[in-house]
Amino acid sequence: MEDAAAAASSAVVVEEERLDVLNKTGQKTGISKPRGEVHRDGDYHRAVHVWIYSESTQELLLQRRADCKDSWPGRWDISSAGHISAGDSSLVSAQRELQEELGISLPKDAFEHIFIYLQECVINDGKFINNEFNDVYLVTTVDPIPLEAFTLQETEVSAVKYISFEEYRSLLVKEDPDYVPYDVDEQYGQLFEIIRKRYTENTVARSLSLQKQLCRYASVSLDAELTGLSNTDSKTLGLLIKAAKLMDEIFYLQVWYSNPALRDWLKEHASASELDKLKWMYYSINKSPWSCLDENEAFLTTTDSAIKLLPEATKPVSGWKGLEYKAAFPMLKPPGANFYPPDMDKKEFKLWNDSLTEKEQNDAMGFFTVIKRHSEFSLDSSSPNHAVHGTNHLMTAHDLYSVPYSKEYNSFLRKAAELLHEAGDLAGSPSLKRLLHSKADAFLSNDYYESDIAWMELDSKLDITIGPYETYEDAIFGYKATFEAFIGIRDDKATAQLKLFGDNLQFLEQNLPMDSAYKSKNVNAAPIRVIRLLYNAGDVKGPQTVAFNLPNDERIVKDRGTSMVMLKNVSEAKFKHILQPIADVCISKEQKGLVDFESFFTHTICHECCHGIGPHTITLPDGQKSTVRKELQELHSALEEAKADIVGLWALKFLINQDLLPRSMVKSMYVSFLAGCFRSVRFGLEEAHGKGQALQFNWMYEKEAFILHPDETFSVDFAKVEEAVESLSREILTIQAKGDKEAADLLLQKYCKMTRPLKHALEKLESVQVPVDIYPIFSTVNEISE
């Protein structure tokens, strides 16, 4: 808790610490000033508060402020705190303050960011104005740290002690003069409420809550006939499963840096109690402590997490094994996952990115890099557990730097590459052999272009998709790709039937409902493969995909188009266990018979096809070339899913009008789409597909294409639905073509809402317990891998 008095007491004259000046909403103004001037002028600035909590004794650690302090001298206060110097990051500042003031060195996974506290006060007869945004962190230890283990910074701290968190709260309520005041009935009350709630939980109630969450998933065994595979293909399959499991390892790490430790802990303790079993089961579905179907609300807390022993965290004490802490994770899912520093904001990224060369910018905004801090590296490099990535960490004017996936995940990718090369040597299909060898090379070179081309040209009974593809997890920009794997057996008969869709993409592009100036004249035919899924891994958490259209690399989309994979057995399972029961509850008696699998599956095909048409590479008003993804950033995924859905529906009607599909499908496709709206919205409005579906439903309802009846069932107005579909298609395609992020934001804000009709439908589905999605069990593959 450094201040001007500390600087004055030093015999060495040093430049006074500078702080970033913020506006009243906490955003940087671009100005920095000396700390003394900031407090003199009442400028808004940032600081960190770090609380250390002992689980076994339910006590908080307090420090007594040194008598030389110019604010609250001699009073008991937060475990550790301090300003965030100009240009510094929050988390690194928290680590540094704890190290400097108390002599405790902890890695970043010990710090849980719990809330931001705005402190506005005036003391010292108006000479010290404190307008401070405080990032409040909680460090949870198993037991109290022995007082002899601390190394106190005398200019800051005169003593430390532990106190019951309830007793401390009561002292603050009484405004005890020995303690720095905090209004526990306002913002700072969150600290005590968080602790109280975590350690007074009702085990029975929590078990019931987890059981209810688990019941939203129908466990379904997904099998495929393996008799068509040769002996070498069967051996190849075993190697591919092992490689796929490594994609799981990478994905867990991509979600959050303490996520692998949490997974291992929950799995190890799953048999300890019924509650522990339920925690592990629901975690296994979500692959994180955040529930996909509940707007990413946390269903676990740091109290459920792994215990880590770090003897080097403090100076040694005889008879004490060392500091044990809980590997922390935030209650709010980090929008940047583990791709960016947790305290990085868009402005900091932009300032850094603007200083880079064009090639460096492409890396920073590319699919296959993570962004890190020099300062974090410098702080961590003193830790005995630190691992060097082989990147040059010379300090620059900016704190951020990029690391390619091939280095960040090298230990996993090297093993995966070895397995793919081995599988490639065994593979009988030339195209599968080419794919596996090129993907193995890509894992180590970080250049996925050739391997993605090889994936598009795959012609093999054994079908695999493996690598970094989707960008949903990056909710800051939508730049970074997560690792995933899908292994299946090609359904040759179904694949042959779908050639119609891939061959007509250019025809569809030329007739899209948007200005001709935005249409591409070179859309490639999209190969479509139908498979029966044998195994998936990596970014396959929560709701299961029924199809995917890849790659997402705009260079390949422009040059070669895309390729689609349909997971037919997943679609069948979803129709049987989810869509049909939804129709029985939500669709009017007169129309529910129109919901059928062929319409559902055919629209899914068109959805994936329509990812490959429409705007991708665009020309901005100033003449510069860009991509829709880069311009719409975090809004891109939701709008792109809505585009593929609604334009897919438009495309079906267009193909019917051209006599390329049977006219008998018209009514069933619209009613099946309506039922599908309720299916996808149940994924939650934080998820791209759920957002996109809410946008479509509310637009169609506003245009009176969807009708709500007094009995709270829905139907389609066939006289109005075609125009409503075309108008929304035109709206979204035009926004994408212009790269108009402001218009995209307005559209999503207006229509991406849980409106009354949607809420009524979802409540009905919950009351009769229709599953929200499926949880696949791969019994065939489990036999192979054993």
Side-chain angles (χ1 to χ4, degrees), residues 215-218 574 576-586 679 682 762 764-773:
C215 283
R216 294 177 296 180
Y217 290 91
K574 291 203 179 199
K576 176 182 176 182
H577 293 279
I578 300 161
L579 198 67
Q580 195 67 66
I582 285 175
D584 291 341
V585 174
C586 292
R679 181 183 73 86
R682 297 175 83 203
L762 300 196
K764 285 184 69 176
L765 293 173
E766 186 174 354
S767 69
V768 297
Q769 296 188 334
V770 174
V772 176
D773 209 73

Side-chain angles (χ1 to χ4, degrees), residues 248-491:
D248 253 343
E249 297 297 323
I250 298 173
F251 177 67
Y252 280 113
L253 187 57
Q254 289 184 305
V255 172
W256 186 244
Y257 45 76
S258 64
N259 197 34
L262 174 63
R263 173 202 59 192
D264 294 344
W265 181 267
L266 292 173
K267 184 177 181 180
E268 182 184 344
H269 293 82
S271 60
S273 69
E274 180 64 20
L275 177 57
D276 288 307
K277 178 183 176 182
L278 293 170
K279 288 178 191 175
W280 169 241
M281 288 172 67
Y282 199 54
Y283 176 90
S284 299
I285 291 173
N286 292 279
K287 296 194 171 186
S288 83
W290 302 288
S291 175
C292 298
L293 295 180
D294 298 294
E295 315 291 332
N296 289 321
E297 180 182 342
F299 61 93
L300 300 172
T301 71
T302 296
T303 60
D304 301 307
S305 192
I307 295 174
K308 291 191 171 184
L309 172 64
L310 195 64
E312 307 88 356
T314 67
K315 65 183 179 184
V317 174
S318 178
W320 181 55
K321 64 181 177 181
L323 190 152
E324 287 183 300
Y325 70 91
K326 289 290 188 74
F329 55 86
M331 297 305 292
L332 296 177
K333 189 174 190 292
N338 196 22
F339 299 122
Y340 308 93
D343 49 5
M344 185 204 81
D345 57 28
K346 283 188 173 184
K347 184 165 186 178
E348 181 183 9
F349 182 91
K350 185 178 186 304
L351 287 171
W352 168 63
N353 196 51
D354 288 347
S355 73
L356 303 177
T357 64
E358 184 178 353
K359 181 185 181 304
E360 290 170 335
Q361 286 182 344
N362 289 335
D363 286 341
M365 295 187 293
F367 291 109
F368 314 126
T369 58
V370 294
I371 309 303
K372 297 201 164 191
R373 290 194 181 281
H374 291 290
S375 55
E376 186 178 310
F377 177 89
S378 301
L379 194 66
D380 286 351
S381 61
S382 60
S383 166
N385 297 320
H386 177 73
V388 178
H389 291 284
T391 304
N392 185 4
H393 295 279
L394 293 175
M395 292 301 291
T396 65
H398 295 278
D399 196 22
L400 302 177
Y401 67 97
S402 65
V403 179
Y405 282 3
S406 54
K407 288 185 177 179
E408 181 69 7
Y409 310 120
N410 183 262
S411 61
F412 300 118
L413 292 176
R414 191 175 62 253
K415 293 176 186 174
E418 290 171 0
L419 289 165
L420 292 189
H421 275 312
E422 188 178 349
D425 289 341
L426 285 174
S429 161
S431 64
L432 179 59
K433 188 182 292 286
R434 177 190 168 206
L435 168 62
L436 296 178
H437 285 307
S438 62
K439 188 67 71 174
D441 292 341
F443 282 164
L444 302 183
S445 69
N446 220 48
D447 182 353
Y448 286 86
Y449 190 94
E450 290 302 324
S451 68
D452 280 343
I453 296 294
W455 176 82
M456 294 178 69
E457 295 176 351
L458 180 62
D459 181 13
S460 166
K461 189 72 176 176
L462 183 57
D463 195 288
I464 181 167
T465 302
I466 187 168
Y469 285 108
E470 303 294 2
T471 61
Y472 303 123
E473 203 69 19
D474 177 2
I476 296 183
F477 293 115
Y479 293 158
K480 307 304 176 185
T482 49
F483 282 82
E484 62 187 16
F486 295 87
I487 303 171
I489 304 297
R490 188 176 64 192
D491 184 327

